[in-house]
Amino acid sequence: MTNTPQTLTLIQPDDWHIHLRDNDALATTVPHACMSFNRVICMPNLVPPVKTTEQATLYRERILTALDKADIPSQRKAEFDPRMVLYLTDHTTADEIARAKVSGIVQAVKLYPAGATTNSSDGVTDILGRAGVFESMQKHGIPLLVHGEVTHHDVDIFDREKRFLDEILSVIIKNFPELRIVMEHITTRDAADFCLAQADNVGATITPQHLLFNRNHMLVGGVKPHFYCLPILKRADHQKRLLEVATSGNPKFFLGTDSAPHATHIKESACGCAGCYSAPHALPLYATAFESVGALDKLENFASRFGAKFYGLPINTSTITLVKSDMSVPEGYPYLDGKSLTPLLSGQTLAWSVQS
Ligand code: NCD
Ligand code: ZN
């Protein structure tokens, strides 16, 4: 038996991949994110997507308005810093990248292969044709965040990430060796090992669900729609490899929750949508995953140092304390107009909670 600490104080973490959605949804998502994270990288797959610096600036203002209205401590409000991302399309220009750079609020550009995931119909159809934009990003030091899945109908959903590495990402890296790239929400041994084989300018985020679960959790004993996210949960041996690299102390791997809210009734339906909501209890979830392999001592670097290092940003100066005391994950949170939002592991108990 290892001695489990009763409390775990961490440098305040950042979330390098989150979906806050827009408008009324922000009343739910912004306070949840703000209570755990300082900087959050806000994904741009709104309807319509955030394609320009001007749109990103307005979106950031809506997030800050929701923050202002939220009933949370003023110190948390002061530290919360939403960082924006532009959605790469077939029409993004090198000039737009230059505008993003001067804005100071656009942190990255996100590549969604067209049709890969929720709200990605405006995504890129000819990825390797985006050379001019990648060139400009490389020059301005703006990272490319990739949703790494091919979308051809004939490719099995469990093979889509590996095919993306082989056919697309390796070509982008070969042609733009200095471009900073984050492989978002990696789900396979292949992606972990691919990332390890690249230079320091290629990193990866890992979600709590891909560390804690595998496809059996989603499919055995009945389909569980709240485990359905993209890229889809894989076999247990992939989950094991993700846990290994996340807890290895290698700075290429860092926290990105991919917390992705969808109202309960549209997840629990004949065609449920992809995304797990984890923002309110993301840190207890990650602590549970790290503790499962006896690596709680590796959590702070993963959650609070390595992402900032990758983005060239300072390490936060505040702290947050996790306590080894049970947390009941609520059945649901109020969301939008009278709707409910079911969090990951709703109704269950986690062994860690955030100290209030
Ligand atoms: C995300 C969403 O709902 O916006 N869904 C998901 O399953 N992860 C989109 C994404 O990040 O792929
Ligand atoms: Zn996402």
Side-chain angles (χ1 to χ4, degrees):
M1 275 286 277
T2 50
N3 275 338
T4 307
Q6 290 307 293
T7 62
L8 182 64
T9 296
L10 306 173
I11 295 167
Q12 192 82 38
D14 304 298
D15 188 349
W16 302 103
H17 184 131
I18 193 167
H19 299 264
L20 296 176
R21 310 300 188 211
D22 203 357
N23 300 321
D24 293 348
L26 298 173
T28 303
T29 60
V30 169
H32 284 165
C34 175
M35 289 309 290
S36 292
F37 301 108
N38 275 9
R39 289 163 295 211
V40 292
I41 292 244
C42 305
M43 288 297 134
N45 61 335
L46 307 183
V47 186
V50 179
K51 292 186 266 196
T52 64
T53 298
E54 195 186 349
Q55 290 165 339
T57 306
L58 294 172
Y59 180 33
R60 189 167 192 274
E61 280 166 16
R62 294 193 294 279
I63 294 169
L64 293 177
T65 302
L67 180 70
D68 201 37
K69 290 188 190 150
D71 182 19
I72 47 180
S74 54
Q75 197 217 335
R76 290 301 322 129
K77 289 189 182 185
E79 290 182 7
F80 190 62
D81 181 7
R83 304 273 169 145
M84 311 318 287
V85 176
L86 298 190
Y87 185 115
L88 184 68
T89 73
D90 285 337
H91 309 289
T92 308
T93 61
D95 285 351
E96 193 60 56
I97 302 300
R99 274 193 287 280
K101 179 67 186 178
V102 271
S103 77
I105 57 139
V106 176
Q107 194 73 50
V109 172
K110 178 77 187 273
L111 164 62
Y112 290 101
T117 185
T118 310
N119 303 338
S120 65
S121 54
D122 290 328
V124 181
T125 57
D126 174 21
I127 296 170
L128 301 176
R130 305 275 61 76
V133 176
F134 295 152
E135 186 84 53
S136 176
M137 290 169 63
Q138 184 169 254
K139 181 173 111 199
H140 291 292
I142 301 248
L144 177 71
L145 315 184
V146 294
H147 182 111
E149 290 190 287
V150 296
T151 56
H152 324 299
H153 288 297
D154 58 319
V155 180
D156 190 279
I157 189 169
F158 292 100
D159 298 336
R160 289 178 172 205
E161 186 171 86
K162 164 119 177 65
R163 288 281 293 268
F164 184 87
L165 305 174
D166 297 344
E167 292 166 23
I168 309 287
L169 192 55
S170 47
V171 183
I172 298 177
I173 292 173
K174 183 160 168 280
N175 293 349
F176 303 96
E178 312 282 307
L179 182 61
R180 276 192 288 155
I181 297 175
V182 183
M183 301 167 61
E184 297 293 338
H185 43 50
I186 59 168
T187 65
T188 55
R189 163 185 296 276
D190 310 279
D193 292 340
F194 181 97
C195 185
L196 279 170
Q198 311 305 317
D200 290 350
N201 57 318
V202 179
T205 54
I206 309 183
T207 75
Q209 63 267 26
H210 293 103
L211 293 174
L212 286 167
F213 310 117
N214 58 64
R215 64 196 197 180
N216 271 13
H217 293 93
M218 180 176 57
L219 296 172
V220 173
V223 178
K224 304 190 188 63
H226 296 291
F227 286 112
Y228 174 59
C229 66
L230 289 171
I232 200 159
L233 293 172
K234 305 295 193 302
R235 310 176 66 95
D237 54 330
H238 292 292
Q239 178 199 357
K240 182 165 172 281
R241 183 70 181 133
L242 296 177
L243 266 171
E244 275 168 19
V245 296
T247 60
S248 68
N250 188 313
K252 280 175 163 290
F253 301 97
F254 47 89
L255 185 154
T257 62
D258 195 19
S259 179
H262 294 275
T264 302
H265 70 286
I266 54 172
K267 282 201 67 75
E268 297 174 4
S269 79
C271 181
C273 43
C276 299
Y277 189 62
S278 61
H281 54 320
L283 298 175
L285 289 168
Y286 279 114
T288 304
F290 276 59
E291 188 178 42
S292 74
V293 290
L296 275 174
D297 59 321
K298 299 293 199 306
L299 183 59
E300 185 176 51
N301 278 340
F302 174 85
S304 314
R305 282 205 178 88
F306 293 160
K309 181 169 148 57
F310 184 90
Y311 279 96
L313 295 169
I315 306 295
N316 294 323
T317 49
S318 52
T319 58
I320 190 168
T321 298
L322 304 185
V323 196
K324 188 86 190 268
S325 105
D326 283 359
M327 156 178 191
S328 304
V329 182
E331 292 289 348
Y333 295 102
Y335 188 56
L336 300 174
D337 191 12
K339 311 266 185 334
S340 177
L341 173 57
T342 303
L344 187 63
L345 287 184
S346 64
Q348 302 204 32
T349 302
L350 294 172
W352 288 89
S353 52
V354 174
Q355 193 171 64
S356 49

